[in-house]
């Protein structure tokens, strides 16, 4: 009386073996363990695979538990970046006529120029002859505007328009054409002006008298007011990165300064050697602190919002399914299949199968899983 009722004894290594009395297991030589009636009765309402472990045994195998929590989850992705110039703000300077360089105003690489600044002057026989044609057409229009036949005045207008259009197509500005009209004489050389604001990074105009043609790139001007930073992130981080996300950046030798920019492009290819994907970020650079080819430290803050999370060590991952053990009280533990999401540091987002506040096993769950598999094998069930 008052003692727990024993139904039978089983081999701890082979639960299918049962005996109606204690003794030694014939296969492994271990002591048979009793199966109590109250445990069997209590397990009727438990899900398959549930096990009962006494407090003493829990302490022996190091069982620890923790509550399931809902947390505001954030994660920081860190990567090394390399500064590059904005490829959409690169201007290549060519002339549309052949000629000879006279005066050079922008005479070294690295010089800052603004849109409309003079670059050099050029003597071009084609430009000179076209100016002469324009002045002749201008005088012809003046003399023939009162002609009695409209065909004559219309022809003079057409010739003037054609000469003017040719000058404009050769990048002669309207102001230069107006000066030509006012002075009434051909200018031997014409000044070429910068079409963009930026820094000169390449230069092919070095000396007076150089013969130039349209296919020669005379200057490369890059606008460095914004800078691109190319960073590489690992392939498992790509799903968390989107165009438009805000990023922060530091220079390794200027830790106090933080730059803020955005992701503008995610490249569509993966580097097979490093298993990384290149991401392009854009940062304002008004003081030109960011110089091409600098290395930087980039941080991307990923905000997952409010999520149900569990410690990583609490999840038993079998590949096709993920299981945690839920403490049901009284020493009973239930195996529970869950659906998991992203792993964030040492935590895993749970998409389904658990509720906040439930108690789960965080340590010793491998041994509990062994007990569970033995129980289900003994009952002819699998979880």
């Amino acid at each position: 009386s008052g003692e727990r009722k024993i139904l039978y004894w089983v081999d701890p290594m082979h639960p299918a073996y049962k005996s109606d009395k204690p003794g030694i297991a014939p296969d492994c030589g271990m002591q048979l363990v009793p199966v109590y009636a109250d445990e069997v009765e209590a397990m009727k309402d438990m899900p398959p695979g549930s096990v009962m472990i006494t407090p003493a045994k829990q302490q022996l195998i190091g069982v620890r538990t923790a509550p399931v929590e809902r947390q505001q989850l954030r994660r920081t992705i860190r990567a090394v970046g390399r500064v590059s110039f904005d490829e959409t703000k690169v201007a290549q300077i060519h002339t549309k006529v052949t000629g000879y360089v006279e005066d050079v105003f922008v005479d070294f690489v690295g010089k800052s120029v603004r849109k409309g600044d003079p670059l050099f002057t050029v003597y071009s026989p084609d430009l000179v002859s076209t100016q002469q044609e324009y002045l002749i057409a201008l005088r012809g229009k003046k003399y023939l505007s009162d002609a009695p036949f409209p065909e004559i005045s219309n022809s003079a207008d057409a010739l003037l328009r054609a000469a003017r259009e040719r000058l404009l197509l050769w990048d002669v500005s309207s102001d230069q054409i107006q000066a030509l009209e006012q002075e009434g004489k051909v200018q031997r050389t014409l000044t070429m002006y910068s079409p963009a604001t930026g820094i000169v990074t390449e230069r092919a105009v070095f000396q007076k008298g150089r013969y130039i043609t349209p296919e020669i790139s005379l200057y490369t001007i890059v606008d460095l007011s914004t800078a691109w930073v190319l960073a590489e992130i690992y392939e498992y981080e790509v799903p968390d990165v989107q165009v438009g996300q805000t990023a922060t950046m530091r220079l390794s030798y200027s830790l106090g300064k933080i730059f803020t920019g955005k992701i503008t492009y995610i490249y569509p290819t993966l580097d097979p050697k490093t298993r990384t994907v290149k991401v392009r970020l854009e940062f304002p650079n008004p003081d030109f602190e960011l110089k091409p080819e600098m290395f930087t430290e980039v941080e991307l803050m990923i905000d997952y919002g409010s999520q149900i999370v569990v410690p990583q060590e609490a999840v038993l991952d079998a590949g096709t399914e993920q299981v945690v053990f839920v403490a049901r009280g009284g020493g009973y533990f239930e195996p529970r299949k869950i659906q998991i999401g992203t792993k964030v540091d040492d935590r895993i987002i749970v998409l389904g199968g658990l509720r906040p506040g439930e108690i789960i096993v965080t340590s010793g769950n491998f041994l509990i899983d062994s007990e569970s598999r033995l129980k289900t094998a003994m009952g002819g069930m699998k979880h």
Side-chain angles (χ1 to χ4, degrees):
S1 62
E3 294 184 358
R4 300 173 67 191
K5 181 181 178 181
I6 298 176
L7 296 179
Y8 48 84
W9 281 262
V10 297
D11 183 345
M13 299 302 295
H14 303 280
Y17 176 81
K18 298 180 182 180
S19 175
D20 57 356
K21 58 183 178 181
I24 302 298
D27 292 333
C28 63
M30 297 179 65
Q31 286 284 345
L32 298 177
V33 296
V35 176
Y36 295 98
D38 57 349
E39 289 184 11
V40 174
E41 184 65 27
M43 295 294 288
K44 289 182 179 179
D45 298 329
M46 292 288 181
S50 298
V51 294
M52 189 276 177
I53 301 177
T54 63
K57 192 172 183 180
Q58 291 182 41
Q59 185 175 6
L60 181 65
I61 64 178
V63 173
R64 291 198 301 270
T65 60
V68 178
E69 298 179 339
R70 180 179 289 276
Q71 299 178 356
Q72 291 290 331
L73 205 58
R74 294 181 177 84
R75 174 189 183 188
T76 301
I77 296 177
R78 293 177 174 85
V80 175
R82 179 177 60 84
V83 179
S84 178
F85 53 80
D86 187 340
E87 295 178 6
T88 65
K89 297 182 179 179
V90 179
Q92 294 276 353
I93 309 301
H94 293 257
T95 62
K96 296 177 180 177
V97 295
T98 58
Y100 301 87
V101 174
E102 291 287 328
D103 299 314
V104 179
F105 304 111
V106 177
D107 52 3
F108 62 90
V109 171
K111 187 170 185 177
S112 176
V113 297
R114 301 189 64 82
K115 184 177 181 179
D117 287 350
L119 297 175
F120 61 93
T121 60
V122 59
Y123 163 67
S124 171
D126 293 335
L127 281 175
V128 171
S129 62
T130 303
Q131 290 181 78
Q132 291 172 340
E133 291 177 12
Y134 183 77
L135 291 177
I136 292 172
L138 188 65
R139 287 194 295 267
K141 178 183 178 182
K142 179 179 179 181
Y143 295 144
L144 299 175
S145 59
D146 297 330
F149 302 103
E151 293 83 358
I152 297 177
S153 61
N154 290 339
S155 297
D157 290 340
L159 182 61
L160 181 64
R161 285 195 303 271
R164 180 183 177 86
E165 186 66 22
R166 194 186 313 167
L167 290 172
L168 291 173
L169 291 175
W170 282 345
D171 292 335
V172 179
S173 67
S174 298
D175 292 339
Q176 289 174 309
I177 295 176
Q178 185 177 359
L180 176 64
E181 294 174 356
Q182 292 174 352
E183 295 177 7
K185 64 178 183 178
V186 173
Q187 299 180 21
R188 181 178 178 276
T189 62
L190 287 177
T191 303
M192 297 298 172
Y193 296 93
S194 173
T197 298
I199 305 296
V200 176
T201 59
E202 294 181 9
R203 167 176 169 251
V205 180
F206 292 99
Q207 72 279 346
K208 180 178 179 180
R210 176 176 180 179
Y211 180 69
I212 58 175
T213 58
E215 63 267 17
I216 298 176
S217 177
L218 302 177
Y219 290 96
T220 300
I221 299 175
V222 180
D223 184 356
L224 296 178
S225 60
T226 58
W228 283 1
V229 174
L230 304 178
E232 294 186 355
I233 61 174
Y234 291 105
E235 56 182 316
Y236 68 85
E237 298 172 328
V238 173
D240 294 329
V241 177
Q242 297 177 354
V243 172
Q245 280 182 336
T246 300
T248 58
M249 181 180 67
R250 294 179 176 85
L251 301 176
S252 59
Y253 44 82
S254 181
L255 297 179
K257 181 68 178 290
I258 297 177
F259 300 86
T260 302
K262 289 187 176 182
I263 298 175
T264 57
Y265 187 68
I266 301 173
Y267 286 78
T269 56
L270 177 78
D271 188 325
K273 295 182 179 179
T274 61
R275 310 305 301 176
T276 57
V277 173
K278 190 177 294 185
V279 175
R280 189 180 75 209
L281 306 100
E282 187 172 303
F283 291 87
N285 190 31
D287 300 324
F288 306 141
E289 293 180 79
L290 301 176
K291 297 174 174 54
E293 303 305 325
M294 279 183 170
F295 285 103
T296 66
E297 300 169 2
V298 177
E299 292 186 355
L300 302 174
M301 181 64 69
I302 311 300
D303 190 351
Y304 296 96
S306 179
Q307 299 286 347
I308 297 174
V309 297
V310 296
Q312 181 182 353
E313 59 269 19
V315 180
L316 297 174
D317 193 343
T320 57
E321 62 182 22
Q322 294 77 38
V323 176
V324 297
F325 280 92
V326 180
R328 297 289 296 269
Y332 292 95
F333 296 92
E334 168 201 343
R336 182 88 58 84
K337 292 182 181 180
I338 61 173
Q339 294 81 47
I340 64 172
T342 304
K343 176 181 174 293
V344 182
D345 298 328
D346 59 346
R347 293 166 292 177
I348 294 179
I349 295 175
V350 177
L351 303 178
L354 286 175
R355 298 185 304 273
E358 290 188 297
I359 306 300
I360 60 172
V361 177
T362 60
S363 179
N365 44 5
F366 287 99
L367 295 174
I368 296 177
D369 185 54
S370 298
E371 290 277 345
S372 173
R373 291 178 183 274
L374 288 173
K375 291 289 184 182
T376 54
M378 183 175 61
M381 298 177 292
K382 296 182 180 179
H383 71 272

